[in-house]
C-alpha cells in the first residue's frame, strides 16, 4: 500500500445533517460502561453502503458499485509529497495540497495521571491517528488535538472519525453514541456527546477546535464493537476480541483486533486476557488480507451473549454463515435472530450463549485494493432487490438504477455536509481521478450540503479558506470588517548604537593634519638633527606608521560638540605605541572615549505644505514638491499624503563611514516617514604614507655600507702608505735608494693602488646606493569626490505649482462645468450641469420623452 | 383647446424657462386633424404676433413646446409646427430625480476631482523654494577631521 493511503475510517457512518457544532458530548452514566479503546481518525471514507434494515431499526444503504473512497483525500494530499513522521507519541503527517502544507491533528494521550496506558498500543497511521486511550470511566476527557502542519483546505474539510471499542451495545443518533440494551436506549446514557467533545476539543492549550476549525466536522462516530447485553467485566469482552473479529460485515474489511500479550492460535485468542483490544492499522491489514477465500471467525465465549451488529456486505460478494455449536462444526440454528437478505447475505447476527464461534466465509471477487466503509443512514430507501438476482427484469433494473442514482446523490450530499472531498469512481485508489466532488463550505467554514464537481484542471481554482494560517489567533474576519492591526501615528527613531571597536578615533584640526602628513612621509634623508634620525630609526625602522592609519575623513559640520566633551584636551596621537611627530612637533587630537556612538540624527528643519488652489491643482501632477538635502538624492513628496502637513527633514549621519541618510517625516520628528534618501557627507582624504620601515631600513643599511666602504678605502690608503714608509725607513741601512725603494714601494704601492681603486669603487657604489634608495609610498583611505561640497549645503523644499492659461476663465463653470462627483437630487444643483446617469422615476412621461430628458441630462442642462 | 404663445429667450436645455418666457397671446384652436402630443401641428387664425412666437403651451397636453416652424396657409391660417420641450414640461419631476452628476456649475470653483479640461497651463509652473533650517553643513576648514587609527 502506498505510504500516502488514507484509511482509518471505521465501518459505518453516521451522518450529521449540519456541521459539527451540533454534536454534543456528555459523561458516562454508568460505571460499568467503558470505552476501551478508541481511535480518532482525521479522515473520511465513503464507501459502499449497505442495504437493509438492521434489527435496531436503522437502515443501511446498500453498497453501490461506485466506490466512494475516502482516499480521495489522500490524492488531494498526495500532491507535493508526503512525509510521515513516526514516533510513538504522535502520528504526524505533513501532507501537501497544491503547494500548501496540511494540517494534521494529533491527539495527545489522556492527561489524567490515573490513566492506565500500559494496556494500550499505539498505532501509527497516515493522516489519522491512534491515541492509545485507556479505559475511560465515567468521564470522557477532552482530547487535545494539536495542529501540526497546515493544509490549504481549498474549501474541503476533514471529517473526524471516532472509533470506539465498547463493552456495551451502542446506538448512534444525532445526540451521540448511546448505550443500548435490548433494542432500547438506556435512559440518560449518552456515552459520548460528540458536540461537546468536539467543541471542547482543543488544538492547543488554549484554543478549541470549534473556535478555529469550523470546517472540521465529524461524520463518522461509530463504535466498532458492540457486545450486547454484556455489562460484565471486560475480561469476557476481551476474550471475544481476537484477530478474527470483524465489525463491518464485509469480510476482511474490518479492522483487526490484536491482543497484546494474548495467546493466539489460528487467529483466535484462546484465553481470556486482561489485555485491551487495540485497533490495528486497518489499511495495512486490509492490504495484507486478500478478500477472497478467507473466513471470518467471531468467537464467543460460553455463558454470554453476543450481539454483533454489522452491515450487510457488498452486492458483489456472497458469504456463508456457519454456526458451530461447541465447535463441532454443525450448523444448528444457533442464532436467535439473523437477518438475511434476499441475496442470502447475512448482515446481522445476534447470538446466544454457548457457541464457540461463528465462521463467515467470504467469496467475494472484488479487488482487495478497494476500501469500503459504510454509512448508516436513516430513512434511506431500501434497495429494490430483484426477485431473481440472476434474471433482473428491465423494470427491476430501472428501479435499481434509480435507487443507485438516488443513493449516490444522497451520498454526495451527505459527504458534502462534511465538506469532504470524494470521488465517484470505481476503484478508489485512483490517485488521478477524472473528477472529484468537493463539498462546499461557506465563508464561516460550515458545510452547506452542496458540492461541486471539479476536475484536475479546475481543482486549483478553488477559493482558499479565509485564513491559510490556522495558528493565527486573530484572523481577519471579513464578516465583521474589523481590522485587528494596531496602528501608531509615530515611527520612533532608534538610539545610536554604542558598539565596541578596536580602533581609536580622533578629531584633529587642519594644522595637525599637516603635521600628520609630514609625519607619515618623513625619511632619514636630509635629517637635520641626530634626534630625528634617532627618532625615525627607533620608531619606524620596522613599522610604517601609515600602516596603522585606517582613514582620515572631513565632515562639513562641527562634530566636536557632538562626540567630545568640552573638558577634553588634545592628546598625542599614537600609532600602536609609537607617537606621531615631525620635527619635534607631535600630532595631537581629541580622542573619543571607548563606547562613544558615532552616529547621530540631526534635525535639518521643517516647513508646512500649504494648498494654494484648494482644488485638484494642489496635487500631482499639477503641483509637486521635492525636498533637497545635501549629499543625498532629492526626495519627491507624495502630496496626497503630505498636503496640509508639517514636513520635517532630518539627517542621520555616521561618522565612521561618512554615510548619511536624509529622512522626511510627517508632522513631527517622530512622525511617519514619507521618504528617505542616502548619500555620503564625509570626504575621505587620500593619505599618502611612506613605507618608512622599508625605506628607513634600506637607508640605514645603505649608510652602513657606505661607512664600511669608506672605512675600507681608508684602510687601503693606510696600508699603501704604511708599506712605503717602512721601505723608506730602511734606506740608510744600505738598502736600495728611495727610487729603488720607491720602486719597491711602487710594487707594494701597485698592490695598494689596486686595493685603493677597488675600495674606491666600493665606496662609489655604496654612495650611489645610499643616494638612490627608492621612496615607496602607499595611499591610505579612498578618494572621495568633493563635488557634493560644491552643491548647496542647505536643505530646501522646492515646490512647483501650476499656472493657468491666459484668458478669462470665469465662465468655465457655466459653459463646461466644474468636475465633480455628485450623487443626489438634481434640484440641489444649480447652473450648468452634466449628468453621467439619472434615475428618471417619480414622474409620468412617455418613454421617448424620458429618453430625450436622459440624453439632455447627459449632454448638459441648465438647472 | 387653447394654445398660449410665448417668445422664449432661454437656452433649449434650460429646465426652468419661466423667466425668459414672454407671453404673446392665447389662441383657441380646434383639432381639425390628428394632433400628436410630441410633435403637434396646430392651425390658428392669422394674427401678426403669432409669427414672432417661438414657444407655446398647449393646454390639452399640459405640455410646453418649441415652435419649430410656422406655415402660412390659405384662408389666413397659420400652422404651428411644434416639438415638445421635455425639460420644461417635466421640470418638477426632473428636479426631483436622483442623478450622478459629473460636471456642474454649482461648486462655483474647481473641486478636488481632477479635471483635465480645466485650463491649466500645460508647461508653465511657478517654482517656490523654501530654505529649511539654518543649515548645519558648511564648507568651513575649521571643522575637525575624523581620524581613525588602529589599536586601542
Amino acid at each position: 500500500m502506498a505510504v500516502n493511503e488514507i484509511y482509518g475510517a471505521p465501518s459505518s457512518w453516521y451522518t450529521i445533517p449540519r456541521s459539527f457544532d451540533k454534536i454534543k458530548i456528555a459523561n458516562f452514566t454508568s460505571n460499568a460502561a467503558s470505552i476501551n479503546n478508541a481511535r480518532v481518525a482525521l479522515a473520511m471514507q465513503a464507501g459502499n453502503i449497505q442495504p437493509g434494515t438492521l434489527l435496531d431499526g436503522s437502515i443501511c444503504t446498500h453498497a453501490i458499485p461506485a466506490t466512494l473512497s475516502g482516499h480521495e483525500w489522500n490524492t488531494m494530499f498526495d500532491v507535493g509529497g508526503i512525509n510521515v513522521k513516526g514516533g510513538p507519541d504522535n502520528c504526524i503527517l505533513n501532507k501537501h495540497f497544491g503547494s500548501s502544507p496540511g494540517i494534521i491533528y494529533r491527539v495527545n494521550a489522556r492527561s489524567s495521571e490515573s490513566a492506565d496506558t500500559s494496556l494500550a498500543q499505539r498505532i501509527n497511521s497516515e493522516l489519522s491517528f491512534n491515541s492509545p486511550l485507556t479505559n475511560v470511566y465515567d468521564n470522557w476527557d477532552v482530547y487535545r488535538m494539536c495542529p501540526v502542519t497546515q493544509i490549504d483546505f481549498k474549501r474541503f474539510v476533514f471529517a473526524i472519525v471516532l472509533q470506539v471499542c465498547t463493552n456495551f451495545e451502542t446506538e448512534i443518533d444525532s445526540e451521540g453514541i448511546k448505550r443500548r440494551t435490548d433494542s432500547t436506549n438506556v435512559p440518560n446514557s449518552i456515552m459520548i456527546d460528540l458536540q461537546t467533545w468536539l467543541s471542547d476539543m482543543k488544538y492547543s492549550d488554549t484554543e478549541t477546535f470549534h473556535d478555529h476549525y469550523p470546517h472540521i466536522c465529524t461524520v463518522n462516530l461509530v463504535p466498532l464493537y458492540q457486545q450486547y447485553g454484556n455489562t460484565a467485566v471486560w475480561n469476557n469482552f476481551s476474550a471475544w476480541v481476537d484477530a478474527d473479529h470483524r465489525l463491518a460485515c464485509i469480510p476482511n474489511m474490518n479492522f483487526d483486533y490484536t491482543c497484546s500479550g494474548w495467546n493466539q492460535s489460528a487467529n483466535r485468542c484462546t484465553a481470556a486476557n486482561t489485555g485491551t483490544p487495540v485497533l490495528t492499522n486497518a489499511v495495512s491489514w486490509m492490504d495484507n488480507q486478500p478478500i477472497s477465500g478467507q473466513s471470518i471467525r467471531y468467537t464467543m465465549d460460553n455463558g454470554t451473549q453476543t450481539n454483533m451488529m454489522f452491515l450487510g456486505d457488498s452486492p458483489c460478494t456472497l458469504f456463508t454463515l456457519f454456526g458451530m455449536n461447541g465447535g463441532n462444526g454443525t450448523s444448528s440454528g444457533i442464532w436467535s435472530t439473523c437477518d438475511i437478505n434476499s441475496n442470502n447475505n447475512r448482515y446481522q447476527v445476534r447470538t446466544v450463549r454457548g457457541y464457540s464461534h461463528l465462521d463467515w466465509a467470504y467469496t467475494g471477487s472484488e479487488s482487495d485494493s478497494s476500501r469500503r466503509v459504510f454509512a448508516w443512514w436513516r430513512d434511506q430507501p431500501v434497495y429494490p432487490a430483484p426477485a431473481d438476482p440472476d434474471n433482473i427484469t428491465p423494470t427491476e433494473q430501472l428501479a435499481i438504477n434509480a435507487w443507485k442514482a438516488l443513493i449516490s446523490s444522497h451520498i454526495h450530499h451527505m459527504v458534502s455536509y462534511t465538506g469532504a472531498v470524494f470521488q465517484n469512481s470505481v476503484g478508489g485508489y485512483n490517485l488521478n481521478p477524472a473528477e472529484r466532488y468537493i463539498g462546499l463550505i461557506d465563508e464561516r467554514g460550515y458545510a452547506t450540503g452542496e458540492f461541486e464537481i471539479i476536475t484536475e484542471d479546475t481543482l486549483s481554482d478553488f477559493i482558499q479558506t479565509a485564513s491559510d494560517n490556522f495558528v493565527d489567533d486573530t484572523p481577519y474576519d471579513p464578516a465583521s470588517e474589523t481590522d485587528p492591526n494596531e496602528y501608531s501615528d509615530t515611527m520612533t527613531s532608534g538610539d545610536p548604537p554604542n558598539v565596541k571597536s578596536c580602533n581609536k578615533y580622533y578629531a584633529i584640526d587642519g594644522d595637525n593634519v599637516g603635521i600628520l602628513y609630514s609625519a607619515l612621509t618623513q625619511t632619514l634623508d636630509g635629517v637635520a638633527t641626530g634626534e630625528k634620525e634617532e627618532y625615525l630609526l627607533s620608531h619606524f625602522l620596522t613599522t610604517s606608521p601609515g600602516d596603522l592609519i585606517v582613514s582620515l575623513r572631513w565632515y562639513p559640520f562641527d562634530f566636536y560638540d557632538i562626540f567630545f566633551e568640552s573638558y577634553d584636551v588634545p592628546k598625542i596621537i599614537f600609532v600602536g605605541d609609537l607617537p606621531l611627530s615631525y620635527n619635534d612637533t607631535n600630532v595631537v587630537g581629541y580622542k573619543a572615549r571607548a563606547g562613544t556612538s558615532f552616529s547621530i540624527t540631526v534635525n535639518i528643519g521643517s516647513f508646512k505644505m500649504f494648498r494654494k488652489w484648494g482644488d485638484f491643482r494642489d496635487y500631482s501632477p499639477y503641483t509637486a514638491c521635492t525636498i533637497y538635502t545635501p549629499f543625498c538624492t532629492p526626495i519627491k513628496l507624495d502630496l496626497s499624503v503630505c498636503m496640509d502637513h508639517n514636513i520635517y527633514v532630518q539627517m542621520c549621519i555616521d561618522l565612521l563611514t561618512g554615510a548619511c541618510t536624509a529622512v522626511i517625516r510627517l508632522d513631527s520628528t517622530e512622525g511617519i516617514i514619507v521618504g528617505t534618501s542616502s548619500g555620503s557627507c564625509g570626504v575621505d582624504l587620500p593619505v599618502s604614507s611612506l613605507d618608512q620601515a622599508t625605506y628607513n631600513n634600506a637607508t640605514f643599511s645603505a649608510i652602513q655600507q657606505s661607512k664600511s666602504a669608506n672605512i675600507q678605502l681608508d684602510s687601503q690608503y693606510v696600508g699603501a702608505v704604511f708599506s712605503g714608509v717602512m721601505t723608506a725607513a730602511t734606506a740608510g741601512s744600505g738598502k736600495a735608494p728611495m727610487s729603488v725603494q720607491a720602486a719597491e714601494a711602487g710594487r707594494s704601492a701597485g698592490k695598494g693602488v689596486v686595493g685603493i681603486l677597488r675600495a674606491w669603487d666600493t665606496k662609489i657604489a655604496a654612495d650611489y646606493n645610499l643616494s638612490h634608495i627608492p621612496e615607496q609610498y602607499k595611499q591610505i583611505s579612498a578618494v572621495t569626490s568633493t563635488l557634493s561640497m560644491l552643491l548647496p549645503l542647505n536643505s530646501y523644499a522646492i515646490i512647483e505649482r501650476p499656472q493657468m492659461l491666459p484668458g478669462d476663465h470665469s465662465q468655465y463653470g457655466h459653459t463646461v462645468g466644474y468636475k465633480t462627483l455628485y450623487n443626489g437630487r438634481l434640484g440641489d444643483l444649480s447652473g450648468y450641469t452634466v449628468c453621467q446617469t439619472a434615475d428618471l422615476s417619480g414622474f409620468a412621461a412617455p418613454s421617448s420623452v424620458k429618453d430625450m430628458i436622459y440624453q439632455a441630462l447627459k449632454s448638459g442642462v441648465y438647472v | 383647446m387653447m394654445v398660449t404663445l410665448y417668445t422664449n429667450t432661454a437656452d433649449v436645455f434650460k429646465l426652468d424657462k419661466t423667466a425668459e418666457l414672454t407671453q404673446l397671446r392665447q389662441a383657441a384652436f380646434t383639432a381639425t386633424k390628428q394632433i400628436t402630443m410630441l410633435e403637434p401641428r396646430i392651425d390658428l387664425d392669422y394674427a401678426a404676433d403669432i409669427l414672432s412666437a417661438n414657444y407655446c403651451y398647449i393646454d390639452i397636453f399640459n405640455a410646453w413646446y418649441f415652435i419649430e416652424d410656422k406655415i402660412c396657409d390659405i384662408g389666413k391660417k397659420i400652422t404651428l409646427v411644434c416639438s415638445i420641450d421635455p425639460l420644461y414640461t417635466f421640470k418638477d419631476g426632473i428636479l426631483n430625480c436622483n442623478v450622478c452628476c459629473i460636471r456642474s456649475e454649482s461648486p462655483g470653483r474647481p473641486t478636488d476631482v481632477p479635471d483635465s479640461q480645466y485650463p491649466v497651463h500645460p508647461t508653465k509652473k511657478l517654482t517656490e523654494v523654501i530654505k529649511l533650517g539654518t543649515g548645519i553643513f558648511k564648507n568651513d576648514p575649521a571643522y575637525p577631521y575624523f581620524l581613525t587609527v588602529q589599536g586601542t
Side-chain angles (χ1 to χ4, degrees):
Chain A
M1 183 186 68
V3 174
N4 55 7
E5 288 294 332
I6 295 182
Y7 55 88
S11 55
S12 61
W13 291 101
Y14 187 80
T15 59
I16 308 299
R18 285 297 293 179
S19 62
F20 69 96
D21 58 355
K22 294 192 187 302
I23 305 168
K24 292 189 182 293
I25 191 169
N27 293 330
F28 292 131
T29 57
S30 167
N31 285 332
S34 68
I35 294 181
N36 295 317
N37 206 333
R39 174 196 301 172
V40 183
L42 194 65
M44 191 203 85
Q45 287 187 354
N48 295 322
I49 310 300
Q50 297 300 315
T53 302
L54 299 185
L55 290 181
D56 66 347
S58 61
I59 299 173
C60 296
T61 57
H62 199 282
I64 57 173
T67 301
L68 302 177
S69 171
H71 70 262
E72 290 84 1
W73 296 54
N74 238 353
T75 64
M76 303 298 277
F77 305 137
D78 199 27
V79 178
I82 296 164
N83 302 310
V84 176
K85 293 184 184 180
D89 291 330
N90 51 65
C91 304
I92 302 172
L93 262 186
N94 197 11
K95 298 245 181 220
H96 294 271
F97 174 63
S99 60
S100 304
I103 288 185
I104 304 299
Y105 299 95
R106 174 185 67 189
V107 176
N108 292 333
R110 270 187 70 192
S111 58
S112 170
E113 291 302 321
S114 63
D116 184 359
T117 61
S118 62
L119 303 177
Q121 176 180 339
R122 251 177 242 274
I123 299 163
N124 288 332
S125 60
E126 292 88 350
L127 201 61
S128 66
F129 42 82
N130 289 325
S131 171
L133 305 181
T134 61
N135 297 336
V136 179
Y137 297 98
D138 290 328
N139 292 300
W140 182 262
D141 282 345
V142 172
Y143 282 80
R144 294 170 56 208
M145 304 183 72
C146 304
V148 179
T149 56
Q150 184 170 345
I151 289 181
D152 169 14
F153 283 123
K154 299 269 187 196
R155 292 205 301 175
F156 64 87
V157 300
F158 285 111
I160 297 177
V161 174
L162 173 63
Q163 304 165 286
V164 295
C165 179
T166 68
N167 68 342
F168 51 86
E169 185 173 348
T170 59
E171 173 81 5
I172 302 175
D173 59 20
S174 60
E175 291 182 317
I177 299 177
K178 296 176 179 175
R179 184 179 172 206
R180 179 175 177 277
T181 54
D182 203 9
S183 301
T184 60
N185 290 333
V186 175
N188 301 319
S189 67
I190 295 179
M191 298 304 170
I192 300 177
D193 180 339
L194 301 166
Q195 178 174 359
T196 306
W197 172 68
L198 188 59
S199 64
D200 289 346
M201 191 185 305
K202 293 182 182 295
Y203 74 91
S204 73
D205 287 334
T206 56
E207 303 298 337
T208 64
F209 244 110
H210 188 287
D211 296 334
H212 292 272
Y213 295 82
H215 49 274
I216 303 297
C217 62
T218 58
V219 171
N220 189 353
L221 301 152
V222 178
L224 281 179
Y225 183 78
Q226 308 159 53
Q227 183 178 22
Y228 173 70
N230 177 24
T231 59
V233 295
W234 55 281
N235 242 2
N236 292 327
F237 161 79
S238 59
W240 288 320
V241 179
D242 63 17
D244 283 340
H245 272 281
R246 309 288 182 262
L247 286 181
C249 66
I250 288 294
N252 298 331
M253 298 305 295
N254 304 300
F255 295 138
D256 191 6
Y257 286 103
T258 61
C259 307
S260 171
W262 288 6
N263 297 323
Q264 296 191 34
S265 171
N267 286 335
R268 184 176 76 245
C269 296
T270 58
N273 200 292
T274 57
T276 301
V278 296
L279 308 176
T280 61
N281 183 314
V283 174
S284 63
W285 175 83
M286 286 189 266
D287 273 338
N288 297 327
Q289 308 293 329
I291 289 182
S292 62
Q294 187 152 348
S295 64
I296 308 169
R297 172 159 298 182
Y298 291 83
T299 304
M300 285 73 63
D301 203 349
N302 290 326
T304 60
Q305 273 185 314
T306 300
N307 178 35
M308 290 169 288
M309 298 176 65
F310 52 91
L311 304 173
D313 61 354
S314 156
C316 303
T317 64
L318 285 174
F319 59 88
T320 56
L321 175 63
F322 299 97
M324 305 293 289
N325 186 1
N328 60 9
T330 59
S331 174
S332 58
I334 58 175
W335 34 86
S336 57
T337 57
C338 177
D339 282 286
I340 305 173
N341 63 10
S342 58
N343 287 337
N344 205 32
N345 293 330
R346 296 167 179 79
Y347 49 83
Q348 179 155 325
V349 174
R350 192 173 281 175
T351 66
V352 296
R353 60 177 65 94
Y355 301 99
S356 59
H357 63 266
L358 295 172
D359 286 335
W360 300 79
Y362 175 73
T363 57
S365 60
E366 285 201 42
S367 164
D368 62 358
S369 64
S370 58
R371 295 286 179 265
R372 297 172 189 163
V373 293
F374 313 98
W376 280 1
W377 200 341
R378 293 191 183 281
D379 301 326
Q380 288 297 304
V382 181
Y383 175 68
D388 181 1
D390 296 324
N391 291 295
I392 301 175
T393 66
T395 304
E396 290 172 332
Q397 187 62 56
L398 283 175
I400 292 172
N401 293 344
W403 181 88
K404 289 178 180 177
L406 180 63
I407 294 302
S408 294
S409 174
H410 276 281
I411 290 171
H412 293 163
H413 282 283
M414 175 186 75
V415 175
S416 302
Y417 276 123
T418 73
V421 176
F422 53 99
Q423 171 189 340
N424 188 18
S425 65
V426 179
Y429 269 33
N430 182 7
L431 298 184
N432 296 294
E435 60 181 17
R436 292 190 181 96
Y437 297 76
I438 289 188
L440 305 181
I441 58 176
D442 62 17
E443 69 275 3
R444 297 168 302 155
Y446 293 136
T448 60
E450 302 301 320
F451 63 91
E452 190 167 332
I453 301 173
I454 60 167
T455 64
E456 288 286 353
D457 293 334
T458 61
L459 189 62
S460 61
D461 293 336
F462 264 64
I463 301 172
Q464 298 188 18
T465 54
S467 171
D468 284 335
N469 180 10
F470 288 98
V471 295
D472 184 358
D473 290 336
T474 56
Y476 179 63
D477 179 4
S480 65
E481 297 182 349
T482 57
D483 185 343
N485 290 320
E486 295 179 1
Y487 292 95
S488 167
D489 292 329
T490 60
M491 295 171 69
T492 309
S493 296
D495 294 324
N498 290 328
V499 294
K500 296 191 186 302
S501 170
C502 255
N503 289 333
K504 295 180 286 188
Y505 305 100
Y506 297 92
I508 65 175
D509 58 24
D511 291 339
N512 276 283
V513 169
I515 302 172
L516 173 69
Y517 286 158
S518 298
L520 294 178
T521 56
Q522 59 188 334
T523 67
L524 285 172
D525 283 357
V527 168
T529 66
E531 288 182 1
K532 180 178 178 184
E533 180 185 52
E534 182 181 343
Y535 167 78
L536 289 175
L537 289 177
S538 64
H539 289 73
F540 301 123
L541 200 57
T542 56
T543 303
S544 299
D547 290 342
L548 297 175
I549 303 292
V550 177
S551 65
L552 181 66
R553 199 173 280 121
W554 180 81
Y555 288 94
F557 69 102
D558 189 350
F559 59 83
Y560 267 135
D561 295 334
I562 298 171
F563 299 111
F564 299 91
E565 301 295 338
S566 59
Y567 48 79
D568 285 335
V569 293
K571 299 188 172 71
I572 300 173
I573 295 178
F574 281 73
V575 285
D577 58 351
L578 307 173
L580 279 178
S581 72
Y582 179 75
N583 282 348
D584 301 324
T585 304
N586 291 321
V587 182
V588 298
Y590 293 85
K591 182 169 183 279
R593 292 190 179 80
T596 301
S597 167
F598 294 105
S599 57
I600 190 172
T601 301
V602 292
N603 294 316
I604 302 291
S606 67
F607 74 103
K608 181 163 183 181
M609 188 67 210
F610 286 99
R611 294 192 179 216
K612 175 180 177 178
W613 304 97
D615 54 48
F616 68 92
R617 290 171 286 178
D618 289 320
Y619 297 92
S620 175
Y622 303 96
T623 298
C625 178
T626 304
I627 304 296
Y628 169 85
T629 48
F631 318 115
C632 301
T633 309
I635 302 169
K636 190 162 183 182
L637 294 184
D638 182 354
L639 290 178
S640 64
V641 175
C642 300
M643 186 59 72
D644 294 328
H645 286 271
N646 286 307
I647 311 297
Y648 285 78
V649 181
Q650 297 173 319
M651 182 80 83
C652 301
I653 302 170
D654 178 14
L655 280 189
L656 291 183
T657 62
C660 62
T661 298
V663 179
I664 315 295
R665 292 180 180 264
L666 276 189
D667 295 327
S668 76
T669 54
E670 296 283 318
I672 300 167
I673 295 175
V674 293
T676 62
S677 174
S678 295
S680 177
C681 68
V683 180
D684 276 291
L685 300 173
V687 177
S688 294
S689 164
L690 175 67
D691 187 353
Q692 286 172 323
T694 304
Y695 183 81
N696 291 342
N697 220 324
T699 302
F700 182 71
S701 299
I703 291 174
Q704 296 302 314
Q705 288 174 8
S706 175
K707 287 181 179 174
S708 296
N710 284 323
I711 291 171
Q712 187 182 358
L713 180 61
D714 290 342
S715 71
Q716 291 294 328
Y717 277 128
V718 168
V721 170
F722 195 64
S723 62
V725 168
M726 290 296 293
T727 305
T730 57
S733 61
K735 292 285 182 182
M738 186 68 74
S739 60
V740 174
Q741 293 164 352
E744 289 180 355
R747 282 197 294 275
S748 298
K751 293 182 185 174
V753 167
V754 169
I756 288 171
L757 288 176
R758 288 183 180 141
W760 183 256
D761 286 341
T762 303
K763 171 187 156 45
I764 295 298
D767 286 345
Y768 178 85
N769 289 339
L770 179 60
S771 63
H772 289 82
I773 297 174
E775 295 181 352
Q776 293 165 337
Y777 288 88
K778 58 178 73 171
Q779 180 164 306
I780 300 142
S781 80
V783 180
T784 304
S785 169
T786 57
L787 275 180
S788 57
M789 298 298 165
L790 301 179
L791 294 171
L793 295 180
N794 282 316
S795 189
Y796 298 90
I798 304 163
I799 303 173
E800 294 177 336
R801 300 194 190 268
Q803 297 192 62
M804 300 299 293
L805 284 168
D808 178 16
H809 310 297
S810 60
Q811 293 302 305
Y812 181 86
H814 189 67
T815 54
V816 181
Y818 299 108
K819 196 78 184 287
T820 180
L821 286 173
Y822 169 82
N823 290 286
R825 186 175 162 273
L826 180 63
D828 295 334
L829 301 168
S830 64
Y832 181 69
T833 299
V834 179
C835 299
Q836 186 175 37
T837 57
D839 176 9
L840 297 180
S841 56
F843 65 97
S847 63
S848 60
V849 172
K850 287 203 173 182
D851 188 59
M852 285 193 275
I853 296 170
Y854 188 84
Q855 296 303 322
L857 290 175
K858 289 195 74 169
S859 69
V861 297
Y862 293 89
V863 179
Chain B
M1 291 176 276
M2 296 293 289
V3 57
T4 309
L5 300 172
Y6 298 85
T7 55
N8 169 38
T9 57
D11 187 278
V12 168
F13 290 102
K14 185 169 183 182
L15 257 68
D16 189 356
K17 300 179 172 69
T18 309
E20 283 90 349
L21 293 178
T22 304
Q23 183 171 338
L24 295 176
R25 66 160 48 231
Q26 275 193 323
F29 67 96
T30 55
T32 57
K33 53 184 181 298
Q34 289 179 338
I35 302 177
T36 71
M37 178 191 173
L38 297 184
E39 293 179 338
R41 295 165 77 102
I42 298 173
D43 296 328
L44 298 175
D45 294 327
Y46 173 84
D49 52 3
I50 294 177
L51 293 175
S52 58
N54 65 345
Y55 203 77
C56 66
Y57 172 80
I58 300 176
D59 60 354
I60 58 167
F61 294 131
N62 190 26
W64 297 82
Y65 297 87
F66 299 106
I67 300 177
E68 304 288 358
D69 202 358
K70 307 174 188 87
I71 303 172
C72 289
D73 206 349
I74 56 174
K76 277 198 144 179
K77 296 285 186 187
I78 295 179
T79 299
L80 300 179
V81 180
C82 306
S83 69
I84 191 168
D85 178 3
L87 294 179
Y88 192 45
T89 302
F90 298 99
K91 165 176 66 73
D92 295 331
I94 297 170
L95 288 174
N96 279 323
C97 286
N98 282 319
V99 299
C100 173
C101 165
I102 52 174
R103 284 190 178 277
S104 180
E105 193 177 350
S106 292
R109 48 165 291 118
T111 66
D112 281 339
V113 180
D115 186 356
S116 58
Q117 288 185 251
Y118 201 69
V120 177
H121 204 293
T123 54
K124 275 190 179 180
K125 293 263 200 248
L126 178 68
T127 303
E128 307 164 310
V129 179
I130 305 172
K131 181 179 174 184
L132 303 180
T134 55
I136 67 166
F137 297 113
K138 290 188 181 65
N139 196 352
D140 188 345
Y143 285 156
Y145 294 71
F146 192 76
L147 174 68
T148 303
V149 177
Q150 293 181 23
T152 57

